[in-house]
Amino acid sequence: MWEYTDKVKDHFLNPRNVGILEDADGVGEVGSLACGDALTLYIKVHDNIITDAKFQTFGCASAIASSSALTELLIGKPVEEAEKLTNKDIAEYLGGLPREKMHCSVMGQEALEQAFKNMRGEAPPQAEHSHEGELICECFGIFDEEILRAIKENNLQTVEDITNFTKAGGGCGKCIEDLEKLLAQAKGESVCETPSSEPAFPAQGMTNIQRMHLIESVIDNDVRPPLQADGGDIKLVDIDGNEVVVQFLGMCSGCPSSQATLHNLVATKLNEKVDPDLIVREV
Amino acid sequence: MKTIYLDNNATTQVDPAVFDAIKPYFTELYGNPSSMHRFGGQVGVEIKKARAAVASLLNCLPEEILFTSCGSESDNTAIRSALTAFPEKRHIITTAVEHPAVLSFCKFLEKKDGYEVTYLGTDEHGRLDMEEYKAAIRPDTAIVSIMWANNETGNIYPIKEMAQIAKDHDVLFHTDAVQAVGKVPIDLKDVPVDMLALSGHKLHAPKGVGALYVRKRTPFRPFLIGGHQEGSRRAGTENTTGIIALGTACELAQKNMNEENTRVRALRDKLENGLLSAVPNSILNGDKENRLPNTANISFGYVEGEAILLMIDQVGIAASSGSACTSGSLEPSHVLRAMDVPFTFAHGSIRFSLSRFNTEEEIDFVLETLPPIIKNLRKLSPFSPEKQGLGL
Ligand code: FES
């Protein structure tokens, strides 16, 4: 069962730089409880050098080790160099990761990108799903751009590779055909488009995990932007059956009209775009 | 470092008495039971005894027992036999929480051979709905296949009642009893199932041997065709040592049943209650009442299963995780998902399964070492109930 290198084991059992940097210059958050792994990365920059980095990770051994390795790689590096770090560097630093765990290193790379964006004021700590592209894997909320990039940067050859590196295809398997197309596309082969017909309520017939990702993306794309425009925010806390639990943040928390927002915006959007039976509750 | 083995639903230690019983059949007594000479014949006698021992544990007739290579073979054979016997019937009923030996096979039949399969769902405790079951039975249902006990939660299903309902509708009923045999009493004179699968290595026999019970007069179509072994119902030279081991293991199981249901249960309860009270934000998955005496499936919120598993492995505790990370797939266990366990908890589930070889000291050690491990992992995590505002 320990198919990990000694270095992975070491970084898992004795993770370096765990915790929160209260005065961080950049914070990157990727993943979620529902996905089974998530990482919050904090960086501190002085004179263009990364002087400190800390992390908090929820996930398996390789997710924890990858995060720890990432912070070690970052500390002391000039920003320009750190920006060039990829998931490969993380995996190499650890003496390699099992192929089916490569997505853990990809998570590190993404968190780093988010942290830099956040440092420059381009993005809130939590990754925004403001994708131009097309949602390919509903189970894990993965867009085509991310998949194409993983194929290109890591020279992926099979659909299984894609799953190992991005998680796409690791749930219900419905997106496998699309992954094959993307693979062919990346290799320069032509593929013909098949028109898709959207069901009236997309959530019907979905697996739990797919449904959860749809909820997540509706909150990110339809609910958060207007709230953020008013200096507030909202966070998805849990999904339990038909109940969606959210938490208001910033200006929205304690706002006298938050109940109205809850019903008129959050619930309405979720009912219309996911499932008419969803009930929204605030904590 | 001593291993504290709490993963007995995955596999068990071969009982030393079983090991002793089979040793001579590897070296001195290696005859082929099908041979005419006495040298083979004496092995044939032992196989007969083993068959009688298995039958005695299940309270059925020896000739109703076929030896197979494993639980999966028994399950596959039972389902395939029913489909071959009734080619015009194209519908199967099973549950969403079966072992892959049934679940994957049904999905295969659905996809490749065009069968229609009804997968019965469960409530949040993993219990089945009798009304849903009754409504699913159709005139073209070829077989119902429902496990006796669930491998992940230990839930025991109302097999007697369900088999009776199938019988009333003239539908064959098979049960995968791999997790139940040897742990809870099974009386096939009282429970009208037509076929039942069991596996040796779950009850202290070695891996590579199983059995299928086929009730007398049940239409049966062999899966392996060749020689006349097992009354022409399963060809292939017998795994003699495996079969003799299974027989001995069944004898011991019958003897130890009481202990499984009292001492092992008490240890399990101590472990379960101890962990649930020592670790905040932990929940029990499964049916508190109708459960195997040896199984406890506990979810620790806000931590991931593989991480827990590897941490406890460091101190010598072997258990199992329902987390997807360890299984190669990425979604949490299909059993926990069918039960709608919230994601917050589903990723951090650990299954502890005991056997009669576990001791009180071992349980004390787990109760001492595991809670601080969870605490440390939670310190690493960006999530916590406080941060989520749940105030759990
Ligand atoms: S949609 Fe990609 S695995 Fe389910």
Side-chain angles (χ1 to χ4, degrees):
Chain A
M1 137 174 118
W2 278 106
E3 278 170 39
Y4 293 127
T5 64
D6 288 341
K7 196 126 188 217
V8 174
K9 285 187 216 176
D10 180 33
H11 276 264
F12 164 58
L13 295 170
N14 313 295
R16 334 285 203 256
N17 312 310
V18 176
I20 301 172
L21 272 184
E22 296 291 355
D23 54 348
D25 296 308
V27 182
E29 275 181 43
V30 291
S32 70
L33 261 180
C35 279
D37 47 24
L39 161 62
T40 307
L41 176 73
Y42 302 85
I43 52 171
K44 181 107 197 98
V45 177
H46 186 70
D47 278 348
N48 228 24
I49 302 277
I50 299 183
T51 52
D52 204 0
K54 279 199 188 308
F55 79 92
Q56 287 184 304
T57 291
F58 160 74
C60 59
S62 50
I64 292 170
S66 295
S67 316
S68 168
L70 172 63
T71 55
E72 288 285 272
L73 279 166
L74 288 176
I75 295 174
K77 266 215 173 69
V79 169
E80 297 72 50
E81 247 180 76
E83 272 178 319
K84 288 192 211 118
L85 276 180
T86 67
N87 69 296
K88 272 197 218 157
D89 300 312
I90 299 173
E92 256 163 43
Y93 179 87
L94 289 168
L97 280 171
R99 222 165 159 71
E100 57 284 359
K101 300 279 185 164
M102 284 303 286
H103 57 85
C104 296
S105 65
V106 174
M107 183 166 77
Q109 181 182 358
E110 284 172 1
L112 181 60
E113 278 164 18
Q114 289 302 325
F116 279 131
K117 275 194 190 160
N118 175 246
M119 182 173 88
R120 304 199 171 101
E122 290 164 26
Q126 183 157 24
E128 269 216 82
H129 297 281
S130 56
H131 294 268
E132 306 257 292
E134 190 189 340
L135 180 64
I136 300 291
C137 179
E138 287 165 358
C139 286
F140 292 101
I142 301 169
F143 287 74
D144 54 354
E145 19 173 74
E146 195 181 322
I147 295 165
L148 285 167
R149 186 173 90 168
I151 296 176
K152 219 173 97 211
E153 285 183 2
N154 298 287
N155 189 23
L156 305 184
Q157 297 295 331
T158 62
V159 170
E160 220 187 317
D161 281 347
I162 298 182
T163 307
N164 293 338
F165 278 73
T166 65
K167 284 191 156 192
C172 70
K174 216 179 67 188
C175 60
I176 300 274
E177 251 176 58
D178 292 330
L179 297 180
E180 277 164 0
K181 278 190 211 151
L182 284 177
L183 204 55
Q185 184 187 328
K187 288 187 189 153
E189 293 162 19
S190 74
V191 277
C192 41
E193 284 293 313
T194 42
S196 72
S197 57
E198 289 251 320
F201 284 111
Q204 276 151 19
M206 278 189 176
T207 67
N208 279 316
I209 205 158
Q210 285 176 319
R211 190 160 150 271
M212 177 226 30
H213 276 294
L214 189 59
I215 293 173
E216 231 178 18
S217 87
V218 168
I219 291 196
D220 279 340
N221 297 326
D222 299 278
V223 178
R224 294 182 68 213
L227 298 184
Q228 283 170 345
D230 292 338
D233 206 347
I234 193 172
K235 180 158 154 191
L236 178 61
V237 174
D238 200 7
I239 301 167
D240 187 1
N242 266 343
E243 194 174 80
V244 178
V245 186
V246 296
Q247 185 186 4
F248 283 119
L249 305 169
M251 293 291 277
C252 298
S253 71
C255 162
S257 52
S258 71
Q259 279 311 310
T261 312
L262 194 68
H263 292 290
N264 299 344
L265 178 69
V266 192
T268 310
K269 282 282 176 216
L270 287 174
N271 290 349
E272 149 195 333
K273 295 208 162 178
V274 184
D275 189 332
D277 294 336
L278 287 178
I279 303 160
V280 183
R281 183 165 71 83
E282 185 201 350
V283 288
Chain B
M1 184 173 37
K2 190 177 165 271
T3 298
I4 296 178
Y5 187 74
L6 299 176
D7 200 13
N8 287 280
N9 287 7
T11 197
T12 56
Q13 173 195 343
V14 172
D15 192 302
V18 169
F19 188 49
D20 284 341
I22 62 175
K23 270 188 213 158
Y25 298 90
F26 285 105
T27 49
E28 300 125 55
L29 302 167
Y30 52 85
N32 186 329
S34 299
S35 299
M36 288 305 290
H37 43 69
R38 235 176 315 154
F39 187 61
Q42 60 193 352
V43 180
V45 171
E46 291 306 314
I47 290 186
K48 210 169 152 188
K49 279 196 213 154
R51 204 182 302 280
V54 179
S56 159
L57 179 63
L58 303 176
N59 196 20
C60 66
L61 302 168
E63 58 268 32
E64 291 174 316
I65 298 296
L66 305 189
F67 290 114
T68 65
S69 68
C70 59
S72 298
E73 186 195 317
S74 300
D75 286 328
N76 271 238
T77 303
I79 295 171
R80 201 178 277 287
S81 166
L83 300 180
T84 317
F86 303 105
E88 70 293 348
K89 297 192 172 180
R90 307 289 298 171
H91 179 236
I92 302 168
I93 298 174
T94 186
T95 75
V97 293
E98 294 297 312
H99 185 274
V102 169
L103 199 58
S104 301
F105 187 45
C106 285
K107 292 212 164 130
F108 170 88
L109 289 165
E110 194 177 32
K111 225 177 167 170
K112 294 277 190 286
D113 296 338
Y115 280 92
E116 257 187 78
V117 183
T118 301
Y119 301 94
L120 302 175
T122 76
D123 68 7
E124 82 251 49
H125 301 292
R127 292 177 299 218
L128 301 171
D129 178 347
M130 281 308 197
E131 294 312 311
E132 187 192 353
Y133 167 54
K134 281 183 212 153
I137 299 178
R138 314 192 316 209
D140 67 334
T141 304
I143 185 165
V144 177
S145 177
I146 291 171
M147 65 200 331
W148 196 294
N150 186 272
N151 48 315
E152 292 194 29
T153 56
N155 277 15
I156 296 177
Y157 298 108
I159 293 301
K160 182 175 175 182
E161 197 186 336
M162 296 184 99
Q164 188 58 50
I165 292 169
K167 208 177 149 95
D168 295 344
H169 287 82
D170 247 334
V171 176
L172 285 185
F173 191 96
H174 162 251
T175 181
D176 171 353
V178 163
Q179 291 296 344
V181 172
K183 292 176 194 151
V184 289
I186 291 182
D187 179 354
L188 292 177
K189 291 259 167 4
D190 184 47
V191 181
V193 303
D194 298 295
M195 289 181 275
L196 173 147
L198 65 95
S199 167
H201 74 108
K202 309 283 188 188
L203 66 151
H204 306 288
K207 297 159 189 68
V209 64
L212 177 64
Y213 157 84
V214 184
R215 187 177 293 274
K216 240 182 169 171
R217 283 188 279 280
T218 300
F220 184 78
R221 302 289 181 274
F223 178 49
L224 274 189
I225 296 172
H228 295 305
Q229 293 90 348
E230 298 297 298
S232 294
R233 292 176 300 175
R234 200 258 186 194
T237 300
E238 293 88 342
N239 170 8
T240 52
T241 46
I243 291 169
I244 297 167
L246 178 57
T248 315
C250 284
E251 261 172 49
L252 290 170
Q254 205 160 6
K255 243 190 250 159
N256 291 315
M257 188 76 72
N258 214 0
E259 190 190 344
E260 294 274 353
N261 285 288
T262 51
R263 191 184 71 88
V264 174
R265 181 190 295 270
L267 284 185
R268 189 271 317 263
D269 289 347
K270 179 173 181 181
L271 174 71
E272 179 176 306
N273 295 332
L275 288 176
L276 291 173
S277 61
V279 181
N281 297 297
S282 54
I283 55 169
L284 177 75
N285 296 312
D287 186 344
K288 192 130 184 50
E289 304 307 319
N290 297 307
R291 201 157 37 113
L292 291 174
N294 78 321
T295 309
N297 188 314
I298 300 179
S299 278
F300 301 100
Y302 309 100
V303 269
E304 199 274 337
E306 189 210 56
I308 305 173
L309 217 54
L310 296 184
M311 282 287 178
I312 60 175
D313 184 53
Q314 286 298 296
V315 293
I317 303 169
S320 213
S321 147
S323 145
C325 252
T326 47
S327 60
S329 117
L330 298 162
E331 261 196 275
S333 133
H334 68 284
V335 177
L336 299 186
R337 289 315 302 145
M339 289 159 60
D340 262 333
V341 176
F343 284 96
T344 326
F345 286 97
H347 287 290
S349 73
I350 300 286
R351 176 188 72 188
F352 303 94
S353 46
L354 285 64
S355 82
R356 58 178 183 260
F357 293 108
N358 288 117
T359 63
E360 178 125 26
E361 292 77 67
E362 292 179 331
I363 300 305
D364 288 336
F365 180 76
V366 178
L367 288 174
E368 231 168 79
T369 48
L370 196 135
I373 286 177
I374 302 287
K375 209 169 165 194
N376 281 336
L377 281 169
R378 282 187 179 158
K379 271 198 214 138
L380 263 179
S381 164
F383 305 117
S384 71
E386 301 80 46
K387 281 178 226 158
Q388 304 299 317
L390 289 178
L392 290 170

